């Protein structure tokens, strides 16, 4: 969605920083409030809502002493979950649409289509909505299978972080691999050439920060693949290692079999020198 925002190279980083700080402060305040009013964790976990996986409902009831008040607080969370689900659907469908434009997904011709009337990528939205529904239906048949699918989220996210940060660290360590937009022009710039944006830490401090990010990501990635206890059974096993490996293997096979013939990197519509010199 960043490509639809004016001055995205400035606005998007500020949005990310602002939401991280704001949500961190509000989330920590909410955590303190919940812990302060939680008098009996065992009771909350063994309550009717706790056995279903929602102990916070019983905590709200015991803290307020009123079922209507607890219901009102629970409704706020439900509304927030609905809004988050809509945002996730919009984000995931937009990612599918963008990768379709870049010819980096199976059936990219369909995924990259935009509905003429509504001007939205309807096929990408339908695919992601269908995937979400199928994942939700898995929990009806098997909670173990559902947890196996959901557990891939953390490992996949950190795998993507580590890969991109490692590539940035590699290019940082080679002088001249990343240029500044103000130093290039229409004749010297090539598509998908790495160019610094306005948000970056130059020099050795940038390299150290990148190295720290890669190291931290690797540690979290490895531990996210561990089960919660030793000698787990099928129900207690962390299947994210299998799921993540399967997805990565499938991506590699698809690339060498099909995608390498059509995929040439992200489609660039605005060159870096145009951001610095719009008249060009």
């Amino acid at each position: 969605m960043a490509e639809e925002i004016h001055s995205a190279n400035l606005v998007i980083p500020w949005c990310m920083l602002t939401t991280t700080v704001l949500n961190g402060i509000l989330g920590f305040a909410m955590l303190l409030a919940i812990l302060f009013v939680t008098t009996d964790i065992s009771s909350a976990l063994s309550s009717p809502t706790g056995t279903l996986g929602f102990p916070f409902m019983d905590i709200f009831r015991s803290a307020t002493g009123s079922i209507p008040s607890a219901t009102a607080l629970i409704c706020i969370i439900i509304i927030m979950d609905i809004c988050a689900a809509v945002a996730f659907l919009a984000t995931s469908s937009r990612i599918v649409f963008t990768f379709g434009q870049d010819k980096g997904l199976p059936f990219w011709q369909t995924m990259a289509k935009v509905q003429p009337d509504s001007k939205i990528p309807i096929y990408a939205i339908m695919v992601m909505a269908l995937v979400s529904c199928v994942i939700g239906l898995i929990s009806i048949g098997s909670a173990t299978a559902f947890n196996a699918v959901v557990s891939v989220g953390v490992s996949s996210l950190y795998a993507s972080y580590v890969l991109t940060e490692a590539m940035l660290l590699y290019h940082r360590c080679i002088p001249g691999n990343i240029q500044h937009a103000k130093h290039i022009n229409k004749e010297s710039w090539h598509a998908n050439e790495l160019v610094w944006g306005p948000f970056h830490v130059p020099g050795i401090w940038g390299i150290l920060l990148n190295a720290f990010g890669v190291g931290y990501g690797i540690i979290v990635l490895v531990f996210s693949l561990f089960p919660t206890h030793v000698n787990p059974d099928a129900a207690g096993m962390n299947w994210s290692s299998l799921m993540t490996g399967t997805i990565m293997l499938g991506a590699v096979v698809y690339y060498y079999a099909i995608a390498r013939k059509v995929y040439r990197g992200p489609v660039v519509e605005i060159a870096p020198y145009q951001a610095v010199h719009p008249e060009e």
Side-chain angles (χ1 to χ4, degrees), residues 4 54 106 149 153 209:
E4 299 179 0
F54 306 104
V149 174
L209 287 173

Side-chain angles (χ1 to χ4, degrees), residues 142-229:
S142 172
T144 301
F146 175 77
N147 291 333
V149 174
V150 174
S151 64
V152 77
V154 175
S155 58
S156 296
L157 281 174
Y158 275 93
S160 66
Y161 298 158
V162 170
L163 287 173
T164 53
E165 290 171 356
M167 289 297 98
L168 178 59
L169 178 61
Y170 168 77
H171 287 288
R172 268 184 180 273
C173 295
I174 301 178
N177 271 20
I178 309 179
Q179 301 189 56
H180 290 271
K182 61 183 179 181
H183 295 156
I184 61 178
N185 53 43
K186 187 185 303 183
E187 288 73 27
S188 63
W189 184 76
H190 304 284
N192 297 316
E193 185 177 8
L194 295 177
V195 179
W196 285 120
F199 278 79
H200 73 279
V201 180
I204 186 64
W205 287 108
I207 294 177
L208 292 176
L209 287 173
N210 269 147
F212 174 80
V214 172
Y216 175 80
I218 291 175
I219 293 174
V220 175
L221 174 61
V222 171
F223 278 93
S224 71
L225 304 176
F226 282 22
T228 56
H229 54 275

Side-chain angles (χ1 to χ4, degrees), residues 38-50:
T38 304
T39 57
D40 190 347
I41 296 178
S42 299
S43 175
L45 293 174
S46 60
S47 65
T49 56

Side-chain angles (χ1 to χ4, degrees), residues 7-279:
S7 302
N9 57 344
L10 287 172
V11 174
I12 297 301
W14 274 118
C15 288
M16 295 173 64
L17 291 172
T18 303
T19 53
T20 300
V21 173
L22 182 61
N23 288 328
I25 294 174
L26 295 178
F28 185 68
M30 185 68 179
L31 177 62
L32 291 179
I34 292 294
L35 293 176
F36 183 78
V37 300
T38 304
T39 57
D40 190 347
I41 296 178
S42 299
S43 175
L45 293 174
S46 60
S47 65
T49 56
T51 55
L52 294 175
F54 306 104
F56 72 91
M57 294 183 178
D58 186 74
I59 294 174
F60 285 170
R61 182 198 58 78
S62 61
T64 60
S66 168
I67 293 180
S69 299
T71 302
L73 293 175
I74 294 169
C75 287
I76 294 175
I77 294 180
I78 293 175
I79 293 173
M80 293 173 62
D81 286 341
I82 294 174
C83 295
V86 174
F88 289 151
L89 177 60
T91 302
S92 58
S93 61
R94 187 64 190 218
I95 292 174
V96 171
F97 166 70
T98 302
F99 272 106
Q101 283 186 315
D102 297 339
K103 304 178 182 179
L105 283 179
F107 310 107
W108 57 266
Q109 298 94 331
T110 302
M111 296 299 102
K113 288 183 178 180
V114 176
Q115 194 73 8
D117 299 332
S118 59
K119 306 299 182 182
I120 61 174
I122 187 65
Y123 293 107
I125 294 174
M126 291 173 61
V127 167
M128 294 312 303
L130 178 61
V131 170
S132 300
C133 291
V134 170
I135 293 176
L137 291 175
I138 293 176
S139 62
I140 299 176
S142 172
T144 301
F146 175 77
N147 291 333
V149 174
V150 174
S151 64
V152 77
V154 175
S155 58
S156 296
L157 281 174
Y158 275 93
S160 66
Y161 298 158
V162 170
L163 287 173
T164 53
E165 290 171 356
M167 289 297 98
L168 178 59
L169 178 61
Y170 168 77
H171 287 288
R172 268 184 180 273
C173 295
I174 301 178
N177 271 20
I178 309 179
Q179 301 189 56
H180 290 271
K182 61 183 179 181
H183 295 156
I184 61 178
N185 53 43
K186 187 185 303 183
E187 288 73 27
S188 63
W189 184 76
H190 304 284
N192 297 316
E193 185 177 8
L194 295 177
V195 179
W196 285 120
F199 278 79
H200 73 279
V201 180
I204 186 64
W205 287 108
I207 294 177
L208 292 176
L209 287 173
N210 269 147
F212 174 80
V214 172
Y216 175 80
I218 291 175
I219 293 174
V220 175
L221 174 61
V222 171
F223 278 93
S224 71
L225 304 176
F226 282 22
T228 56
H229 54 275
V230 297
N231 300 322
D233 55 10
M237 177 61 183
N238 185 352
W239 296 101
S240 60
S241 56
L242 175 63
M243 300 293 294
T244 304
T246 301
I247 293 173
M248 295 180 69
L249 179 61
V252 171
V253 171
Y254 173 73
Y255 174 78
Y256 281 102
I258 300 175
R260 68 191 180 110
K261 303 175 184 177
V262 295
Y263 180 70
R264 296 294 181 269
V267 175
V268 179
E269 296 181 346
I270 298 179
Y273 63 83
Q274 291 176 314
V276 178
H277 307 289
E279 68 276 3

